Amino acid sequence: MSEDGQVSSHWFDDDAGPVVRPYAMTRGRTTSTAQHRLDLIAVVVTEPAAGDPETDPTLSPEHVDIVGLCRSTPQSVAELAAELDLPIGVVRVLVGDLVHAELVHVTRPVPPAELPDESILRDVIHGLRAL
């Protein structure tokens, strides 16, 4: 009931548009079967042999959007979340599903701790010049 005592015919906000809870997109899952460690900077690339994802009835519209976005330009997980306006956790699950379906693959940048030290690279260059 509204403040003036009349029954409201709308119990939702028309301006909000359709609202889907994030857990509905992932079917309540917080991880996928092929869940890798998907950092925010992990890069998602569409597989060259991936067909048209729209023909696959098991994929959600969000899955199709991810494949489409990554087909033209590889995207990081953070970029996908921002572009699709979805939480990172949801995007991680959806990307994991697509990895399992072999529609995309994920590459990870080398962590800074695993990069060679700059002084070692300089020593190698000096050694090569000495030859």
Side-chain angles (χ1 to χ4, degrees):
M1 276 187 136
S2 64
E3 291 178 5
D4 60 0
Q6 295 196 2
V7 176
S8 176
S9 63
H10 287 71
W11 56 270
F12 58 90
D13 183 3
D14 287 332
D15 294 333
V19 178
V20 177
R21 297 277 184 216
Y23 62 81
M25 290 179 216
T26 62
R27 297 180 208 113
R29 297 171 298 137
T30 57
T31 60
S32 69
T33 55
Q35 183 82 25
H36 300 290
R37 197 184 87 209
L38 295 175
D39 299 344
L40 295 177
I41 58 173
V43 177
V44 182
V45 181
T46 300
E47 290 288 351
D52 183 10
E54 291 184 28
T55 61
D56 188 342
T58 63
L59 297 179
S60 70
E62 293 78 19
H63 285 114
V64 173
D65 290 343
I66 291 170
V67 173
L69 286 169
C70 298
R71 190 176 299 278
S72 58
T73 306
Q75 304 277 324
S76 71
V77 172
E79 290 171 321
L80 288 170
E83 182 71 29
L84 298 171
D85 196 25
L86 293 174
I88 292 290
V90 171
V91 172
R92 285 180 174 153
V93 172
L94 296 174
V95 168
D97 293 345
L98 293 170
V99 169
H100 182 70
E102 298 180 353
L103 294 172
V104 300
H105 67 274
V106 177
T107 59
R108 289 170 199 83
V110 177
E114 294 179 16
L115 292 173
D117 186 25
E118 189 176 326
S119 64
I120 294 173
L121 294 175
R122 278 195 208 116
D123 291 343
V124 170
I125 291 171
H126 292 305
L128 290 172
R129 286 183 182 157
L131 293 175

